[in-house]
Amino acid sequence: MPPYLLSLGPGLYRIDTAFQRDDFDAAYLLVDQGRAAFIDTGTNHAVPRLLGALAHLGLAPEAVDWVIPTHVHLDHAGGVGLLMQALPQARLLAHPRGLRHLVDPRALWAGALAVYGEEEMQRSYGQLQAVPAERAEASEDGQRLRVGGRELLLIDTPGHARHHHCLFDAQSGCWFTGDTFGLSYREFDVDGRPWLFPTSTPVQFDPPALKQSMQRMLERRPQGMLLTHFGRIGYSEGEVRELHQRLLVLLDETVALSLALREAEDRHEALKQALSALYLRSLAAHGCTLPPERQLALLAMDIELNAQGIGVWLDKPTA
């Protein structure tokens, strides 16, 4: 297999999209009975790898029935439009709150452009491509669909974003979690044990909704979680539940430190410092032996974005 493609079991593949760095951003390819679906796509720059994965597996572009982003943040869905151009039989299935932004990505582009600027947008994402409305449909909570003979269950999972859904693959017993079950980078694994933490990136962080979404996922008794950032974590129901408890601890600690800093002077910087300290303490307890400066370098973008998202959340009346 090409180095960016990894088999996770029968008919299930992880594709490293190379966004930002290796082992950071994944797309998934599900294959059964000669039919296929992509769950998350990465950016436009990932499309050659997604098509390369099909070719390596002996699948024609016409074999892909579905392209399903978990939500419309650009590291998950930025490549949807360009990918769809290469998949003549595929349909887009997107959350109803996000669908319009993939059919007409001008507002999505403008919002990101205001944050990152033109040079960085082109470097990281490439120009967003629209998906024809006739090839796109909105998902429904509780929806079931098939890829070949393989059934996927889709549920609405707000908390990270209101336009987020997750998919359960009954055959593998795994959820495609997007960002709902946190982030876990392989550099922080200790003796095969993952470390994970919640993401609060702008602008729809909602801790109570996030907890409820995760609880709904656990009701399926999952054997593993397939994170966009990054890869599979958990290989039994018990391990998934343990990971969930550890994620809840960090989520509650994140909420507590954020509320304590609501009125802080230079709040954004204070939040970044508090998150950095929280992550370093948690990683030390996990047994991570990477130098602290290396840990913070790997987490720098997440710390910045999490602090931004917490700031938006704190300014909402219900926070």
Side-chain angles (χ1 to χ4, degrees):
M1 285 190 182
Y4 58 79
L5 182 63
L6 178 68
S7 174
L8 298 177
L12 180 58
Y13 302 90
R14 189 200 75 199
I15 302 166
D16 188 335
T17 72
F19 178 67
Q20 299 298 335
R21 65 176 189 261
D22 291 341
D23 295 347
F24 179 81
D25 185 75
Y28 292 94
L29 175 62
L30 197 63
V31 180
D32 192 76
Q33 298 178 6
R35 309 308 302 171
F38 284 107
I39 295 95
D40 280 346
T41 66
T43 71
N44 280 338
H45 304 314
V47 170
R49 289 190 171 195
L50 305 185
L51 298 177
L54 289 177
H56 177 80
L57 297 171
L59 293 167
E62 291 80 4
V64 179
D65 293 324
W66 296 102
V67 173
I68 312 173
T70 55
H71 58 303
V72 301
H73 289 167
L74 296 183
D75 51 334
H76 298 254
V80 163
L82 184 63
L83 178 64
M84 291 281 289
Q85 292 177 10
L87 306 175
Q89 302 300 318
R91 294 188 60 76
L92 168 67
L93 185 65
H95 192 284
R97 290 180 177 269
L99 179 63
R100 64 187 177 91
H101 292 296
L102 299 176
V103 172
D104 182 357
R106 286 177 294 181
L108 197 61
W109 176 266
L113 184 66
V115 174
Y116 298 114
E118 178 71 27
E119 183 177 351
E120 178 59 22
M121 285 297 293
Q122 294 296 342
R123 186 189 74 83
S124 289
Y125 303 106
Q127 190 69 40
L128 302 183
Q129 300 296 312
V131 177
E134 64 273 14
R135 296 183 62 194
E137 59 187 84
S139 66
E140 298 179 6
D141 185 41
Q143 181 175 353
R144 295 177 184 270
L145 64 148
R146 289 192 172 274
V147 179
R150 196 163 181 156
E151 183 177 84
L152 294 175
L153 167 69
L154 185 150
I155 66 169
D156 186 21
T157 51
H160 171 70
R162 289 197 295 270
H163 51 86
H164 200 301
H165 56 208
C166 293
L167 297 100
F168 183 70
D169 171 36
Q171 183 168 319
S172 68
C174 293
W175 282 100
F176 297 96
T177 67
D179 285 344
T180 298
F181 204 75
L183 314 180
S184 180
Y185 301 134
R186 305 284 58 80
E187 293 96 334
F188 298 129
D189 289 355
V190 176
D191 297 328
R193 296 181 295 109
W195 177 77
L196 75 165
F197 64 107
T199 175
S200 57
T201 51
V203 291
Q204 296 173 344
F205 179 52
D206 184 344
L210 186 58
K211 289 184 177 182
Q212 184 176 19
S213 292
M214 289 192 289
Q215 189 58 47
R216 287 191 69 192
M217 296 166 77
L218 290 181
E219 291 171 1
R220 305 302 301 185
R221 305 182 67 177
Q223 303 299 304
M225 300 304 222
L226 304 172
L227 279 57
T228 301
H229 310 288
F230 175 81
R232 179 171 180 166
I233 60 172
Y235 288 88
S236 69
E237 181 185 355
E239 189 176 353
V240 169
R241 290 188 177 277
E242 180 185 351
L243 290 166
H244 173 245
Q245 289 303 311
R246 287 161 45 193
L247 186 57
L248 284 180
V249 168
L250 270 183
L251 177 59
D252 287 342
E253 291 181 342
T254 299
V255 168
L257 72 83
S258 301
L259 292 173
L261 294 171
R262 186 197 292 269
E263 305 300 331
E265 185 177 351
D266 194 1
R267 186 177 70 186
H268 180 69
E269 186 60 32
L271 284 169
K272 288 173 60 177
Q273 293 298 322
L275 288 172
S276 297
L278 173 62
Y279 298 158
L280 288 177
R281 288 197 305 272
S282 179
L283 280 162
H286 179 62
C288 181
T289 59
L290 290 175
E293 59 271 20
R294 176 59 176 160
Q295 296 177 32
L296 291 177
L298 290 167
L299 293 168
M301 184 170 69
D302 293 301
I303 291 168
E304 171 64 32
L305 292 174
N306 284 351
Q308 289 181 22
I310 289 168
V312 174
W313 172 68
L314 288 173
D315 289 336
K316 294 178 180 177
T318 56

